[in-house]
Amino acid sequence: MSMTSKERARTALLGGVPDKVPFGANGIDYDTVEHILGHETYVRARGKCLLALWEGRRDEMVQSLVEDTIALFRKLDICDIIRADGAGPVPPKGYQPEESPRRIDADTWEFSDGRVYKYSHLTGEITLVYDPQQWTRVLREDDYPLQFTYQEPDPSTYELVDAVIGAFGESHFLLGPFP
């Protein structure tokens, strides 16, 4: 009897014997995703995503995440388990950063407080490389409240989550930071 991907993974996790060993990738980095899809993507491209948010391109980023995540796993028809950790909540529609840094050169940005970030072509990440207040910043207890008021998140933060669940929720076993 042939099982669906979801049945196969669930059976294995419950200690049963599925029709074949369920398969899932721990993570597929953006450069590999780009080779598989044949175009640039924001999927697992943390540096590109951060830059898009700094530049006010949230909707472009989310559209790529939705379309390319679904296209990737449809193209990789071998995955029973989809680890959709990249399909977590996204910033809400209309998101604007509190401050966008000033671009110093092609790979370097600076915020008004002097913090400097650089893009690594090796890792595809944007990393803080200089913080003038690193050793002098005063930490106050009020900066770390023990209690907070819960606010229901904007539904648009689940745009990517909803798309992945809609595309694969019935057929595949999904792992991720879903509500």
Side-chain angles (χ1 to χ4, degrees), residues 14 16 19 25 32 44 53 55 60 86 88 95 97 99 104 106 128 142 146 148 151 155-156 158 163 170 173-174 176:
L14 292 174
D19 60 344
T32 303
R44 291 185 54 94
L53 292 174
E55 295 175 349
E60 171 190 320
Y95 170 82
E99 177 187 3
I104 296 172
L128 176 67
D142 294 344
L146 295 177
F148 65 96
Q151 293 181 346
S156 67
Y158 296 113
E170 293 295 318
F173 193 90
L174 303 178

Side-chain angles (χ1 to χ4, degrees), residues 54-73:
W54 283 347
E55 295 175 349
R57 295 182 289 117
R58 178 262 183 213
D59 291 347
E60 171 190 320
M61 178 193 78
V62 172
Q63 180 179 350
S64 168
L65 290 172
V66 167
E67 292 173 1
D68 293 347
T69 298
I70 292 169
L72 172 67
F73 288 106

Side-chain angles (χ1 to χ4, degrees), residues 24-30 32-33 44 46 72-73 76 83-85:
N26 185 42
I28 305 168
D29 285 336
Y30 78 95
T32 303
V33 174
R44 291 185 54 94
R46 290 179 192 89
L72 172 67
F73 288 106
L76 293 177
R83 183 174 172 209
D85 57 349

Side-chain angles (χ1 to χ4, degrees), residues 131 133-134 136-149:
D131 182 353
Q133 299 175 25
Q134 179 178 2
T136 60
R137 183 175 292 113
V138 176
L139 301 177
R140 301 180 325 247
E141 188 175 340
D142 294 344
D143 294 334
Y144 304 94
L146 295 177
Q147 295 184 18
F148 65 96
T149 304

Side-chain angles (χ1 to χ4, degrees), residues 4 11 25 28 52-53 59 69 74-75 85-86 90 112 125 127 135 156 160 165 177:
T4 67
T11 299
I28 305 168
L53 292 174
D59 291 347
T69 298
R74 286 203 171 128
K75 200 162 189 178
D85 57 349
V90 295
S112 61
E125 302 274 347
T127 306
W135 304 111
S156 67
L160 177 56
I165 291 172

